[in-house]
Amino acid sequence: MAAAIPTLEPTAIFAGDSITWSRSLNDYPAATWTLTYRLLSRAGAAAVTITAAADGDDHLVTVASATTALWTAGDYQMIGYVAAGTERVQVYSAAFTVKPDPATVGFYDGRTYLERILALLEKVIEEGVIREVIRYSYGGVSTEVQTMKDA
């Protein structure tokens, strides 16, 4: 039995995986409107364009694994829009992540940005790189922070 085709856009993919989803836009049927998605890199990688095919009145998006294998890993903004003639309407916008291809990458740090920053802060504190005692005051409230070795 074939897997059901998702009806929502993905938010992440591993490069090298195929992806498929269907989008129903009642006000913009596929017979009249063309649905296109653009992946815009936040780090300067080449933009990616994905064009949906008509599936009745729905828009069917299919991207082959050979195509996604060429995508640069990183964070993108996915913008979806429909167009007909000289008309264009944005119908989607969300963050999208391309993760490195697990079949070709030697190392992958799957932690979120916040998890990586927390680990760096913990390392700085544990290694005593910061001053022994930090004092500061804000709005009449004073506090002190000590390194881990002093605690």
Side-chain angles (χ1 to χ4, degrees):
M1 178 178 190
I5 296 174
T7 57
L8 296 174
E9 292 83 352
T11 58
I13 182 177
F14 282 99
D17 284 358
S18 57
I19 50 174
T20 299
W21 72 93
S22 177
R23 184 73 193 267
S24 179
L25 300 166
N26 294 333
D27 293 335
Y28 309 103
T32 309
W33 296 82
T34 300
L35 175 61
T36 302
Y37 291 90
R38 292 272 293 166
L39 303 181
L40 305 174
S41 171
R42 296 185 178 167
V48 174
T49 301
I50 305 167
T51 304
D55 183 23
D57 282 339
D58 294 339
H59 303 270
L60 181 63
V61 180
T62 303
V63 185
S65 60
T67 300
T68 68
L70 302 175
W71 293 357
T72 302
D75 294 323
Y76 293 78
Q77 186 69 22
M78 180 189 273
I79 308 292
Y81 58 90
V82 290
T86 60
E87 299 294 317
R88 184 179 79 189
V89 179
Q90 181 179 322
V91 294
Y92 182 79
S93 179
F96 184 81
T97 302
V98 176
K99 300 176 184 180
D101 186 340
T104 61
V105 73
F107 172 79
Y108 171 63
D109 185 350
R111 297 175 296 169
T112 65
Y113 172 77
L114 293 177
E115 290 169 333
R116 292 190 313 268
I117 293 300
L118 178 60
L120 288 172
L121 289 172
E122 288 172 341
K123 181 178 179 183
V124 166
I125 291 169
E126 290 170 0
E127 292 179 357
V129 175
I130 62 173
R131 294 181 213 140
E132 297 298 314
V133 178
I134 299 174
R135 292 182 182 91
Y136 61 92
S137 176
Y138 181 77
V141 177
S142 297
T143 190
E144 286 185 0
V145 178
Q146 297 180 352
T147 63
M148 292 296 284
K149 69 180 183 179
D150 293 336

